[in-house]
């Protein structure tokens, strides 16, 4: 959802209200079909429900780049070359972690309109260690980054040839050189220490597509996306 800067949730909320021609957070909450205090929480924590934002932009035909990045899409060439995100399902994650270039080339792909980076991945979640933020079996949509550039305590997918695939928050351990702490939201799961030399790839999580939808119309875009993902995975398995 960003290029080289952290998105300011309050600014996004303000631009969304302006585009929708409403003034109060409570009115925006009604349009998003969420509790009024949820928007206050977004502002305090500088977080956003990206699927909800995407859904309302789709429904109201708003420019997603303008809402999220305050940047209008003006070049037709950019629109004709959408980013193709490669999908890494549970069945191929072990082989992916082993660094198979052949597998990466064969992975099914899908275009997510909110991904703007040149290199992106969608990883299927294998456990509930990050519940309730990220649910098991959902897909996390990510953009590739570097350890030196990732914000502290960010949600990320960490790929290690030695240890496998991890979906955690990541932060540097202050008193240990080149060692990172991977933490979970669910306290039933243990934290993991990982040396920098053991991290082969790191992907910053931008959004999560869940299979558990509680509101019929709110996430129509997400449901449609998941159907496309399912079809792409079926085609991939049969090829």
């Amino acid at each position: 959802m960003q290029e080289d800067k952290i998105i300011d949730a309050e600014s996004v909320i303000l631009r969304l209200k302006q585009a929708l021609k409403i003034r109060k957070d409570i009115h925006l909450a009604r349009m998003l079909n969420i509790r009024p205090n949820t928007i206050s929480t977004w502002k305090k924590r500088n977080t956003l429900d990206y699927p909800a934002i995407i859904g309302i932009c789709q429904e109201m035909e708003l420019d997603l780049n303008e809402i999220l990045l305050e940047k209008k899409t003006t070049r037709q060439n950019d629109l004709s070359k959408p980013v193709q995100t490669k999908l890494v399902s549970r069945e191929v994650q072990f082989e992916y972690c082993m660094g198979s270039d052949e597998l990466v080339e064969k992975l099914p792909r899908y275009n997510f309109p909110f991904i703007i980076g040149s290199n992106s991945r969608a990883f299927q979640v294998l456990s509930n260690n990050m519940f309730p933020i990220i649910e098991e079996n959902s897909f996390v949509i990510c953009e590739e980054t570097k350890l030196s550039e990732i914000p502290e305590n960010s949600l990320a997918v960490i790929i290690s040839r030695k240890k496998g695939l991890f979906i955690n928050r990541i932060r540097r351990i202050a008193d240990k050189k080149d060692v990172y702490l991977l933490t979970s939201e669910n306290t039933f799961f243990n934290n993991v220490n990982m040396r920098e030399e053991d991290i082969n790839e790191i992907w910053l999580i931008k959004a999560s597509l869940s299979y558990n939808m509680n509101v019929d119309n709110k996430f129509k875009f997400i449901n449609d996306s998941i159907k496309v993902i399912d079809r792409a995975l079926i085609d991939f398995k049969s090829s």
Side-chain angles (χ1 to χ4, degrees), residues 206-220:
K206 299 293 186 174
S208 173
L209 301 184
S210 175
Y211 280 82
N212 298 319
M213 303 301 165
N214 297 319
V215 181
D216 290 339
N217 297 322
K218 177 180 174 184
F219 294 130
K220 182 179 183 301

Side-chain angles (χ1 to χ4, degrees), residues 94-137:
F94 177 80
E95 186 179 355
Y96 181 91
C97 289
M98 293 298 99
S100 172
D101 293 333
E102 182 180 356
L103 171 69
V104 172
E105 289 303 313
K106 294 193 302 181
L107 288 174
R109 306 181 185 199
Y110 181 64
N111 173 38
F112 296 98
F114 51 88
I115 293 294
I116 61 175
S118 60
N119 202 6
S120 59
R121 291 283 189 278
F123 296 93
Q124 192 167 19
V125 181
L126 302 187
S127 77
N128 268 322
N129 70 303
M130 297 305 292
F131 183 83
I133 295 177
I134 301 172
E135 298 179 1
E136 184 178 3
N137 288 325

Side-chain angles (χ1 to χ4, degrees), residues 24-164:
K24 296 184 178 180
D25 288 351
I26 190 171
H27 295 153
L28 179 59
R30 288 171 183 167
M31 295 191 72
L32 295 173
N33 199 17
I34 59 177
R35 296 178 180 177
N37 62 354
T38 299
I39 293 180
S40 298
T41 301
W42 291 355
K43 293 179 180 179
K44 290 178 182 177
R45 297 180 180 177
N46 197 35
T47 59
L48 292 167
D49 184 340
Y50 289 107
I53 302 296
I54 294 163
I56 195 67
C57 287
Q58 287 266 320
E59 181 181 348
M60 304 305 294
E61 298 183 351
L62 303 178
D63 186 335
L64 192 59
N65 283 323
E66 186 174 357
I67 298 300
L68 292 179
L69 305 172
E70 203 176 7
K71 182 175 71 174
K72 294 184 178 180
T73 303
T74 57
R75 292 180 295 175
Q76 186 64 33
N77 289 340
D78 291 342
L79 296 175
S80 64
K81 298 179 180 179
V83 174
Q84 293 294 308
T85 298
K86 297 178 179 179
L87 309 178
V88 185
S89 64
R90 59 169 61 237
E91 294 86 353
V92 300
Q93 286 186 8
F94 177 80
E95 186 179 355
Y96 181 91
C97 289
M98 293 298 99
S100 172
D101 293 333
E102 182 180 356
L103 171 69
V104 172
E105 289 303 313
K106 294 193 302 181
L107 288 174
R109 306 181 185 199
Y110 181 64
N111 173 38
F112 296 98
F114 51 88
I115 293 294
I116 61 175
S118 60
N119 202 6
S120 59
R121 291 283 189 278
F123 296 93
Q124 192 167 19
V125 181
L126 302 187
S127 77
N128 268 322
N129 70 303
M130 297 305 292
F131 183 83
I133 295 177
I134 301 172
E135 298 179 1
E136 184 178 3
N137 288 325
S138 62
F139 278 85
V140 287
I141 317 304
C142 313
E143 290 180 2
E144 190 173 27
T145 186
K146 299 177 181 178
L147 274 173
S148 59
E149 297 176 357
I150 194 166
E152 191 80 349
N153 211 37
S154 292
L155 293 170
V157 175
I158 299 95
I159 305 295
S160 171
R161 304 277 185 266
K162 292 183 178 180
K163 299 185 177 182

